[in-house]
Amino acid sequence: MTIKNKTILSGRYELIRTLGEGSDGTVYLARHQSLELERAIKVFPKRSGAPSLFAISEANVLKTIRHPGIPTIYDFEEDSSCYYLVEEYIRGESLSHFLLHQQSISRNLFFQFCEQLCEIFAYLHTLSPSPILYQDLKPEHIMVCGLQLKLIDFSVSSFLADSGDDFRHFGNAAFSAPELAANCPATPASDIYSIGRIMKFMSGYVDTALSQNILTIIQKATNADPAHRYETVDELMSAIRQANDNNGRMHLRQTIAVLGDFPGCGATHIAIALTSQLGALGHRTVYYEENCSDSLRKAVPHMRGAYEEEGCYIYRCFRGYPRYGEGIDVRRRTADIAVMDYGCDIPDTLAAADRILLVCGGGLWHRGALTLPDLAPEQLGKRLRIVANLCDRTSAVYYARQHNAPVYLYPFDPDPFGPGADKRRFAEWLSYRKGGRGPFLHMRNLASRLLER
């Protein structure tokens, strides 16, 4: 059954376009007319057999669930010909598409995705009074929304008390536990097996070798015998976190202040690029526009796929807030790393920043345009880093001597929102490792040791 776009359903929802079609129904993007909010509407034709059962099952499973990794169900309606499941519109791409577009992911992002997936399933398996078994996990059912995973399509899911019914037979073969193929009842161990298979699938895209610990975890989670797997998802998640800690996480300082030596030197470009790259590496990073340029809002119309959510602009792995005027109260997201873009304005709070980036250009007439405050060495000297943006080596040497600080020769970067090898090295240059002195030496007036690439 096909419904034309611009159709009004239930007097409230205007259909905008088709999002996808399958053998059991069609998914539409719709807008709630009075609330002016986007929704996804799944339309299931009424006929005998599985599709109608899927619609009713998914509505029953999701109607009381509230979790950031699971789409919210807003409504379930029916008429003489169809069922209509109205749910949260998920902006993002499937895990399979995300991995293909990224080509590779960092070890940090791998662990972050593994933990998020476990958190979702731990929530489902401990729901009271009726835990839920998902039963149909595969990369196409995991949506990557920035750095948040969301699990979609609960049509095959069932409550643990009902796991002996026929819903289990509709699961996929590639990621489903072997006992389901043998017509055994689904159990929490069946979902644990699927999580292990997703972990194995993602591990093939990690850009560095994973430790034997994580490979052993995957092997145990995907054991053919359910009795030899992890007993609970919480136990699996604890093992993953311990392996991550033993693997040596990259720890970054909490606040990074970005200053420009002169207007137009590229401070905003560097701040956005750093935010995007840290996000791609799996760190919860948020950009804050602390200058009057309004550059972020000006860029949004040219960022295809960007959207705003509770005052925060989201695009690919980037999260950022424009500068709002006084009187506008925006509840900001929590972040492990805050990238503060001050432009050419030196804030009174600069001494509180954990890392200070001064972006300089290559023009002779711009040298020394910005005078940093006279802070004590322990306040500035150990935290100051110079970014020579589109500079030659002579200019970089000048800045290293002038500011008595390390300099990074930043290359041409046409897309600040896209992660890459050069930007990854830049992020690592700013970081320090747990228990170590960091990946670079602090240089003092030594031009021969200037560039840390």
Side-chain angles (χ1 to χ4, degrees):
M1 177 180 178
T2 302
I3 301 177
K4 294 182 179 179
N5 293 343
K6 304 303 181 182
T7 299
I8 307 299
L9 294 180
S10 303
R12 297 191 299 276
Y13 302 105
E14 177 187 355
L15 300 188
I16 300 173
R17 59 183 172 88
T18 302
L19 294 176
E21 296 185 49
S23 58
D24 54 346
T26 304
V27 183
Y28 296 91
L29 174 62
R31 180 181 294 106
H32 193 292
Q33 289 189 305
S34 58
L35 297 178
E36 296 186 352
L37 295 174
E38 291 180 333
R39 299 283 188 259
I41 298 183
K42 297 182 178 179
V43 180
F44 300 87
K46 279 188 174 179
R47 55 177 181 260
S48 60
S52 296
L53 294 175
F54 286 160
I56 297 172
S57 172
E58 186 166 9
N60 287 336
V61 167
L62 291 178
K63 62 184 179 182
T64 59
I65 289 180
R66 294 294 181 270
H67 188 277
I70 300 172
T72 302
I73 292 293
Y74 296 106
D75 222 338
F76 181 69
E77 300 184 4
E78 63 177 300
D79 55 26
S80 59
S81 58
C82 294
Y83 292 105
Y84 303 97
L85 184 61
V86 183
E87 63 182 33
E88 176 187 357
Y89 172 50
I90 303 299
R91 297 176 180 270
E93 56 184 340
S94 69
L95 178 62
S96 55
H97 286 162
F98 174 82
L99 293 176
L100 287 174
H101 293 164
Q102 295 292 317
Q103 296 183 348
S104 67
I105 60 174
S106 68
R107 189 174 59 190
N108 285 342
L109 190 59
F110 167 79
F111 278 106
Q112 182 174 333
F113 281 177
C114 289
E115 289 187 27
Q116 281 191 32
L117 201 57
C118 286
E119 288 172 354
I120 295 172
F121 275 86
Y123 170 82
L124 292 174
H125 287 185
T126 56
L127 280 173
S128 179
S130 300
I132 291 174
L133 302 178
Y134 184 75
Q135 303 186 60
D136 194 20
L137 188 63
K138 54 186 176 182
E140 291 77 15
H141 287 173
I142 302 171
M143 299 296 291
V144 181
C145 308
L147 295 179
Q148 172 67 54
L149 296 186
K150 287 183 179 284
L151 197 59
I152 63 171
D153 198 343
F154 280 70
S155 57
V156 177
S157 305
S158 64
F159 295 103
L160 180 58
D162 302 325
S163 62
D165 62 30
D166 289 336
F167 280 110
R168 67 179 185 275
H169 301 304
F170 292 108
N172 67 88
F175 293 87
S176 292
E179 63 267 21
L180 299 185
N183 291 327
C184 296
T187 66
S190 306
D191 279 345
I192 289 173
Y193 178 93
S194 297
I195 296 172
R197 287 302 302 264
I198 291 293
M199 291 174 62
K200 185 175 182 180
F201 174 75
M202 290 192 297
S203 69
Y205 291 87
V206 180
D207 57 6
T208 56
L210 293 171
S211 69
Q212 185 58 46
N213 289 341
I214 194 66
L215 299 179
T216 301
I217 290 171
I218 294 174
Q219 186 176 23
K220 181 176 180 178
T222 57
N223 194 293
D225 186 347
H228 293 160
R229 298 173 201 155
Y230 292 95
E231 291 187 10
T232 65
V233 178
D234 278 332
E235 185 181 344
L236 170 60
M237 183 160 53
S238 296
I240 292 171
R241 287 173 174 169
Q242 184 176 0
N244 193 10
D245 287 336
N246 293 338
N247 231 1
R249 295 185 183 183
M250 177 186 293
H251 289 259
L252 297 174
R253 297 185 185 271
Q254 187 176 15
T255 304
I256 301 174
V258 182
L259 300 172
D261 200 26
F262 59 89
C265 67
T268 294
H269 187 110
I270 299 297
I272 289 175
L274 178 60
T275 303
S276 300
Q277 181 62 52
L278 292 176
L281 289 172
H283 301 285
R284 293 192 303 171
T285 309
V286 177
Y287 165 92
Y288 299 95
E289 188 177 59
E290 299 293 339
N291 59 78
C292 299
S293 67
D294 204 27
S295 297
L296 185 56
R297 266 190 282 243
K298 293 175 183 176
V300 167
H302 306 286
M303 297 153 53
R304 186 175 182 181
Y307 62 98
E308 180 267 336
E309 188 176 277
E310 297 181 348
C312 179
Y313 286 107
I314 301 173
Y315 181 58
R316 292 149 78 176
C317 294
F318 173 82
R319 299 287 182 277
Y321 289 90
R323 181 170 181 172
Y324 291 99
E326 295 184 6
I328 299 179
D329 184 18
V330 176
R331 183 179 180 182
R332 293 180 167 183
R333 296 169 179 243
T334 57
D336 296 329
I337 306 167
V339 178
M340 318 298 290
D341 178 10
Y342 292 108
C344 298
D345 302 326
I346 299 177
D348 296 333
T349 58
L350 188 63
D354 297 297
R355 185 72 84 210
I356 301 171
L357 296 186
L358 177 60
V359 181
C360 302
L364 297 177
W365 49 91
H366 286 137
R367 290 183 178 180
L370 184 71
T371 302
L372 292 173
D374 186 17
L375 300 177
E378 64 271 14
Q379 293 180 306
L380 179 62
K382 294 182 180 180
R383 296 175 292 125
L384 178 64
R385 300 290 179 266
I386 308 301
V387 181
N389 187 28
L390 299 178
C391 288
D392 58 13
R393 296 178 67 88
T394 301
S395 296
V397 169
Y398 168 83
Y399 289 122
R401 289 172 172 168
Q402 180 190 29
H403 296 288
N404 195 24
V407 175
Y408 190 92
L409 196 60
Y410 197 85
F412 174 68
D413 178 20
D415 180 12
F417 295 96
D422 284 334
K423 281 178 276 194
R424 178 176 181 138
R425 284 192 290 269
F426 176 52
E428 291 173 346
W429 180 72
L430 295 173
S431 70
Y432 65 95
R433 296 186 182 276
K434 190 175 182 180
R437 65 180 181 179
F440 66 94
L441 297 174
H442 189 85
M443 297 162 289
R444 295 188 178 279
N445 296 326
L446 295 177
S448 62
R449 297 161 64 185
L450 172 68
L451 303 178
E452 294 292 334
R453 300 298 297 271

